[in-house]
Amino acid sequence: MLDQESLVDIHVLHRQGCSIRGISRQLGISRNTVRRYLRDITQSPQYAPREARPSKLDAFKPYVLRN
């Protein structure tokens, strides 16, 4: 998961002359991800919220709460 700090690191390393491949190796992210954020400076990582997963105990909650 990319955060704002990693995004800044991508741009700083690029200004210092590092290649896209070098940046991806150093930060441990995909070359395509580095390329995408270098093309559009205003883009920031956005992640959709995840849906809550059902618990294995959901079927037994009424029984547990009753006793």
Side-chain angles (χ1 to χ4, degrees), residues 5-41:
E5 185 177 335
S6 298
L7 188 60
V8 171
D9 289 341
I10 289 172
H11 290 287
V12 168
L13 289 170
H14 184 67
R15 286 190 193 124
Q16 290 176 353
C18 291
S19 65
I20 291 176
R21 183 175 286 175
I23 295 169
S24 67
R25 282 185 191 153
Q26 190 169 355
L27 298 178
I29 54 178
S30 168
R31 287 182 300 174
N32 290 334
T33 303
V34 172
R35 197 173 287 123
R36 180 176 62 218
Y37 288 116
L38 286 175
R39 282 186 187 146
D40 188 9
I41 296 172

